[in-house]
Amino acid sequence: MSTTEVKPSAAKNPKKARNPSLGPKKDLKKKKKKTKKSKAPAFDDNTVERNDQSDGEEQQPASGSEQLTFFLKQLESAIGVRVSALELDPIKDKCVVELSEKLDQNVSNLGEHIKMCCGSSWRETLCEGEAIEGKVDPGNPAVLVVSSSALRSLELLRGLNSLTKQCPALKLFSKHLKVEEQVTLLKKRVNIGSGTPSRIKKLIDIEALGLSRLDMIVLDLHTDVKGFSLFTLPQVRDEFWDLYKTCFHQRVLEGSLRICLYGPMPAAPKLKNNKKQRQNQD
């Protein structure tokens, strides 16, 4: 008997059966790629111009009254201390230092800013290195620079090199520095100190660092790589306000101590405010 070979038909051929479905899938993939390309963000000249304007607004120096308002809000939100109008009125024009707008508020210009804040007596106050009995006691700086970290304190000290050749500025932070070493250095004349809140307060508490000559505290508003500053880094923020409330606040109210906010103040969240305003209008 002759056997007839049965050839698979085109309909039963698996390769041929899959072919019709492959074409549309390829088309779909191509369409998806096209849609992705169409969704890519494009920046026009107007967008760049708007970004430049917003950056410029953040860098503009704030007036003395704006800085005072900012500081008082930080004070109230952090430790619940509210300065009354009666307390504020005698000191509102002099408690916050208004820096020159001609100089940027960066590390290299810090020395020049402090020099101008001290007026005509800047050389006697900041540069001379000999203690004067009854007038300039050892361990009593005229200026304290407070920042969020030891590294930042060192950076700011480099900006003060021109003022500290005769009388070196004192490092007031804990990294690689023992309290005993700092106590020894504070037995000499100190014009400028730069450090972190916790170590500054510790040296004040043990009566190694004096405040009888202190005229100005410079509060560094610089933000680190993570966006934190002296007022926002959680633990440091608490330590600073503890230091301020304990050692500085009463002196500010008495008018014997000035505050210098150094660096750009955080910009107000304008977009959120605009949304709230629109909701209120609706």
Side-chain angles (χ1 to χ4, degrees):
M1 286 180 68
S2 61
T3 59
T4 58
E5 294 181 2
V6 180
K7 296 181 179 180
S9 63
K12 293 180 181 180
N13 191 333
K15 291 183 180 179
K16 288 184 180 180
R18 284 197 299 267
N19 282 343
S21 60
L22 288 174
K25 283 184 180 178
K26 289 181 180 178
D27 292 338
L28 286 171
K29 287 180 181 178
K30 288 180 181 178
K31 286 179 182 178
K32 285 179 181 178
K33 287 181 180 178
K34 287 180 182 178
T35 53
K36 284 180 181 178
K37 288 180 180 178
S38 63
K39 290 180 181 179
F43 297 95
D44 55 14
D45 294 338
N46 294 331
T47 306
V48 174
E49 187 177 316
R50 286 193 298 271
N51 291 337
D52 289 342
Q53 287 175 354
S54 63
D55 291 342
E57 288 175 0
E58 291 178 4
Q59 295 299 323
Q60 287 179 355
S63 66
S65 60
E66 289 172 335
Q67 291 183 63
L68 179 58
T69 301
F70 168 78
F71 183 79
L72 292 177
K73 284 182 179 179
Q74 294 292 319
L75 174 65
E76 185 176 357
S77 64
I79 54 177
V81 174
R82 192 169 199 172
V83 180
S84 67
L86 188 63
E87 291 174 314
L88 187 62
D89 190 58
I91 60 167
K92 63 181 180 182
D93 296 327
K94 59 181 180 180
C95 66
V96 173
V97 177
E98 195 163 356
L99 300 176
S100 171
E101 296 182 6
K102 295 178 182 179
L103 291 174
D104 292 333
Q105 294 180 27
N106 52 31
V107 171
S108 59
N109 289 331
L110 177 59
E112 194 62 28
H113 278 296
I114 291 179
K115 178 179 167 181
M116 287 190 285
C117 290
C118 292
S120 59
S121 63
W122 68 269
R123 192 180 298 278
E124 298 172 7
T125 304
L126 303 172
C127 300
E128 292 188 4
E130 295 296 327
I132 304 172
E133 189 175 350
K135 186 177 180 182
V136 181
D137 295 326
N140 285 264
V143 177
L144 275 178
V145 183
V146 189
S147 52
S148 59
S149 68
L151 181 61
R152 180 60 180 171
S153 296
L154 285 172
E155 288 178 6
L156 293 169
L157 282 173
R158 284 195 286 271
L160 299 170
N161 283 338
S162 62
L163 302 174
T164 58
K165 292 176 182 178
Q166 294 180 32
C167 184
L170 195 60
K171 300 170 185 175
L172 303 173
F173 46 81
S174 58
K175 192 172 185 180
H176 306 307
L177 292 171
K178 294 181 179 179
V179 173
E180 293 78 13
E181 295 173 357
Q182 292 167 328
V183 170
T184 301
L185 293 170
L186 284 166
K187 291 178 181 178
K188 302 176 182 179
R189 173 167 174 165
V190 178
N191 295 326
I192 301 171
S194 177
T196 53
S198 59
R199 180 52 62 92
I200 290 173
K201 187 172 186 300
K202 186 167 188 176
L203 291 167
I204 293 172
D205 289 344
I206 63 174
E207 298 183 354
L209 178 63
L211 304 178
S212 64
R213 187 171 160 244
L214 188 63
D215 173 64
M216 182 170 67
I217 51 172
V218 180
L219 308 181
D220 177 40
L221 297 183
H222 165 83
T223 54
D224 60 19
V225 291
K226 294 183 179 180
F228 289 111
S229 71
L230 180 66
F231 288 167
T232 58
L233 189 60
Q235 183 178 347
V236 175
R237 174 181 182 263
D238 296 340
E239 290 169 350
F240 166 72
W241 288 115
D242 182 37
L243 168 67
Y244 176 81
K245 183 180 180 181
T246 306
C247 305
F248 300 147
H249 184 60
Q250 189 57 40
R251 294 170 61 86
V252 171
L253 293 180
E254 291 169 358
S256 61
L257 181 63
R258 298 180 294 165
I259 299 168
C260 173
L261 301 178
Y262 197 73
M265 290 196 308
K270 295 180 179 179
L271 291 176
K272 291 182 180 179
N273 290 339
N274 289 339
K275 286 181 180 179
K276 287 180 181 179
Q277 287 176 0
R278 287 174 187 169
Q279 288 175 358
N280 292 334
Q281 288 174 356
D282 294 338

